Amino acid sequence: MPAVVTRFAPSPTGYLHIGGARTALFSYLYARRHEGRYLLRIEDTDRERSTEDAVRAIFEGLDWLGLVSDAEPVFQTQRYDRYREVIDGMLEAGTAYHCYCSKEELEQMRAGQMARKEKPRYDGRWRPEPGKLLPERPAGVQPVVRFKNPVAGEVVVDDLIKGAIVFQNEELDDLIIARGDGNPTYNFCVVVDDMDMGITHVVRGDDHVNNTPRQINILKALGAEPPAYAHVPMILGADGVKLSKRHGAVSVIEYRALGFLPEALLNYLVRLGWSHGDQELFSRDEMIRMFDISRVQKAPARFDMEKAVWVNHQYLKSADPLHVAPELDWHLRRIGVDPAGGPALAAVVEAQRERCKTLVEMAEKSKFFYAELDGYNEKDAAKHLNAEGRALLAELAARLEALPQWNAPALQEAVHAFAEGKGLGLGKVAQPIRVAVAGMAISPPIDQTLFLLGRERTLARLAAAVARNNP
RNA sequence: GCUCCUAUCGUCUAGAGGCCUAGGACGGAGCCCUCUCAAGGCUUAAACCCGGGUUCGAAUCCCGGUAGGAGCGCCA
């Protein structure tokens, strides 16, 4: 049994949120760092909102990021028998009891308390106490089961990130652990699952801190040792407001479409709320080796797309081109370009990576290697494919055509010699070529561009540019 | 309203009482380099929420404000 077992426990009511991804990452890193296990649990007890599509989307996101579970994922809906068994045991032991309050009754209770400026809570009217007379059971009401929370004393959550947090038991009411239809509720399932799965460290969003003392109390009632907790703060949008759809990309999988490399997104995420001195870039091994959960920030952080893109660029620039190639392939096809028959993708990655911060950008700028030009950028053409430029291209084309070898050094030499012979700067020659072959004034160095594009395509495009009528 | 949490450049952060004239990174501005776009190099502007303590000394410790956030469901 490893000393550390963590879990990521999303509820499948939507896509994998970027904040959830970071929580999963921290959970994963903590487990790896301590040579423990990282597990996945799908919290699908909300039958109304949970969908199979969402389950798939979550797996897809986790897969893409490489945060896969060390064991088969646990689905809560498959554990109902177990939950019922535990509830029956608690009923028998007297740590839980039936409550016959109707929803309307509870709503009234809450409204009254709010009006009196009290914290809304269950008043314990069905809570059995020695010598207390319980109300008469109303007919036809399916009772819920409530946990009998201690009335006195305090619960200390020794949070790995936030430090000790103290709650008074008198602040806590008797929460429902089973609904009228007998189905268990979230706070209860979590407790039973964490116990059964042998979770030693619960790493989760800090929107759960207020649930923690109740969960600890239930665990204690069950005679189990509570795990350690680490509540990670949420991720905010650039405007400091909770991240939501109106901020653009919140779903992890959208970041793939935006042109991110998964390892780059992970790197950005790990630095959002955590740091190791001044280091910005971490390989996965470094993350695992250096991750220290006690150094996670206590305050929420804002998602900064500019910096995320910068990190992505760093990865694009240094990654193995062979590793990036399939991603570029994916993006090219996404914009309707079939890379078959063109230059090797890895070679294009190498030529383009410096000037492309995202794969979307790389695909856009590399399209011309694989597809026929769909016209020229007008401004660039007007500037460089004028009469003067076309005359230059006509002459140069002949020289290139006569080249015995079509490789970068030969092309470089030919273009240089041509410019020199004309008494022109290289720019005067390279720019018209660029616009002619790439359709725009942006491309890798001219020798590489022509080499990658190939002899046939280059000469055809030069000819087309020369034949172009003056606008 | 009640409970709990948080607070360093615009953003992510370093800072564990003297090493702070508060460091790094993104972004911004400027310069250099240059066949385009970039990349790279250099320079630069920019922050300790406020008020009290404790201390010889506080960004750091304590208290109080203020501001933000989370939770208060037969949701998770």
Side-chain angles (χ1 to χ4, degrees):
Chain A
M1 196 65 177
V4 169
V5 182
T6 66
R7 46 60 163 194
F8 175 55
S11 60
T13 52
Y15 43 73
L16 175 59
H17 190 272
I18 195 83
R22 187 181 60 155
T23 304
L25 173 63
F26 286 178
S27 189
Y28 165 92
L29 290 176
Y30 190 81
R32 284 285 176 281
R33 164 77 200 266
H34 298 279
E35 290 164 348
R37 283 152 65 80
Y38 155 80
L39 308 177
L40 185 61
R41 180 169 76 224
I42 304 296
E43 310 213 320
D44 52 357
T45 51
D46 185 348
R47 307 303 257 278
E48 314 252 299
R49 295 195 299 155
S50 298
T51 67
E52 273 181 41
D53 276 354
V55 173
R56 262 192 298 277
I58 288 167
F59 282 142
E60 188 190 359
L62 254 15
D63 254 21
W64 183 64
L65 290 173
L67 298 176
V68 290
S69 173
D70 290 332
E72 275 301 297
V74 171
F75 286 79
Q76 290 189 323
T77 42
Q78 288 171 10
R79 290 176 41 81
Y80 276 40
D81 289 348
R82 169 61 178 154
Y83 301 138
R84 224 155 286 198
E85 175 190 18
V86 177
I87 287 169
D88 287 345
M90 290 175 77
L91 248 14
E92 210 161 303
T95 52
Y97 60 92
H98 289 293
C99 166
Y100 291 81
C101 284
S102 66
K103 291 184 186 183
E104 293 71 33
E105 222 175 326
L106 292 172
E107 231 157 87
Q108 264 177 27
M109 199 187 294
R110 262 194 290 271
Q113 287 160 332
M114 291 283 243
R116 271 173 275 128
K117 311 199 169 192
E118 291 164 18
K119 181 175 181 169
R121 68 217 292 195
Y122 176 62
D123 65 4
R125 61 183 66 167
W126 286 92
R127 180 181 169 116
E129 298 289 1
K132 174 179 168 187
L133 198 63
L134 260 25
E136 190 146 329
R137 292 181 187 182
V141 173
Q142 281 297 310
V144 300
V145 179
R146 284 184 186 271
F147 171 62
K148 201 172 175 189
N149 198 78
V151 283
E154 56 185 36
V155 183
V156 180
V157 180
D158 232 327
D159 197 275
L160 262 32
I161 294 172
K162 301 197 182 250
I165 308 171
V166 183
F167 293 88
Q168 298 304 318
N169 268 325
E170 57 186 339
E171 293 292 336
L172 274 25
D173 62 356
D174 291 350
L175 81 162
I176 293 172
I177 58 177
R179 303 178 172 97
D181 62 9
N183 288 327
T185 58
Y186 167 76
N187 277 102
F188 178 75
C189 297
V190 166
V191 163
V192 176
D193 290 337
D194 284 342
M195 184 173 75
D196 289 354
M197 291 167 78
I199 303 300
T200 60
H201 298 259
V202 172
V203 180
R204 64 187 358 171
D206 72 356
D207 47 334
H208 289 287
V209 277
N210 290 292
N211 289 328
T212 309
R214 300 170 195 275
Q215 293 179 6
I216 289 177
N217 281 337
I218 298 177
L219 241 7
K220 282 181 180 162
L222 256 22
E225 185 68 24
Y229 293 90
H231 287 100
V232 336
M234 50 192 272
I235 298 180
L236 270 23
D239 54 2
V241 177
K242 191 171 177 170
L243 206 54
S244 67
K245 267 146 274 161
R246 67 187 178 78
H247 286 97
V250 272
S251 152
V252 162
I253 223 63
E254 283 178 70
Y255 284 86
R256 183 179 194 192
L258 248 24
F260 279 85
L261 247 19
E263 48 272 43
L265 186 59
L266 246 23
N267 194 139
Y268 176 71
L269 252 20
V270 83
R271 274 290 286 106
L272 198 59
W274 174 79
S275 63
H276 183 82
D278 286 338
Q279 188 167 344
E280 295 288 347
L281 271 11
F282 299 85
S283 68
R284 187 170 291 219
D285 280 349
E286 283 177 314
M287 283 184 203
I288 290 169
R289 207 168 54 237
M290 297 167 170
F291 186 69
D292 176 358
I293 203 152
S294 71
R295 294 190 53 95
V296 169
Q297 215 71 19
K298 294 177 188 166
R302 300 180 189 211
F303 192 96
D304 181 7
M305 189 56 95
E306 305 264 5
K307 183 154 184 185
V309 164
W310 175 81
V311 172
N312 195 51
H313 192 196
Q314 300 308 305
Y315 273 80
L316 242 23
K317 282 196 297 179
S318 60
D320 180 352
L322 287 171
H323 170 73
V324 181
E327 289 292 318
L328 178 59
D329 184 273
W330 188 84
H331 281 275
L332 281 169
R333 290 179 194 281
R334 216 163 169 266
I335 55 172
V337 175
D338 182 355
L345 286 163
V348 171
V349 168
E350 212 157 1
Q352 294 284 40
R353 67 210 310 198
E354 254 174 36
R355 76 205 82 251
C356 303
K357 292 181 197 287
T358 69
L359 287 156
V360 166
E361 210 182 324
M362 192 181 283
E364 281 299 332
K365 287 181 175 162
S366 304
K367 203 174 159 182
F368 75 91
F369 283 123
Y370 301 99
E372 290 313 312
L373 257 34
D374 49 2
Y376 301 101
N377 172 296
E378 265 181 57
K379 265 180 109 175
D380 294 341
K383 186 167 178 192
H384 301 292
L385 294 185
N386 49 21
E388 188 191 351
R390 295 203 304 275
L392 245 26
L393 290 181
E395 246 184 278
L396 180 79
R399 296 246 203 141
L400 296 184
E401 196 167 7
L403 235 40
Q405 296 277 333
W406 195 267
N407 56 42
L411 287 161
Q412 170 81 331
E413 167 61 27
V415 175
H416 263 280
F418 178 74
E420 230 165 276
K422 288 276 167 196
L424 295 169
L426 192 53
K428 279 283 182 195
V429 179
Q431 286 304 79
I433 304 177
R434 231 177 220 111
V435 179
V437 303
M440 58 188 163
I442 300 174
S443 89
I446 206 67
D447 55 332
Q448 285 180 50
T449 301
L450 300 185
F451 169 64
L452 287 172
L453 187 60
R455 184 173 191 273
E456 197 181 325
R457 271 187 160 139
T458 299
L459 295 176
R461 285 186 197 177
L462 289 179
V466 169
R468 183 171 182 262
N469 287 323
N470 222 350

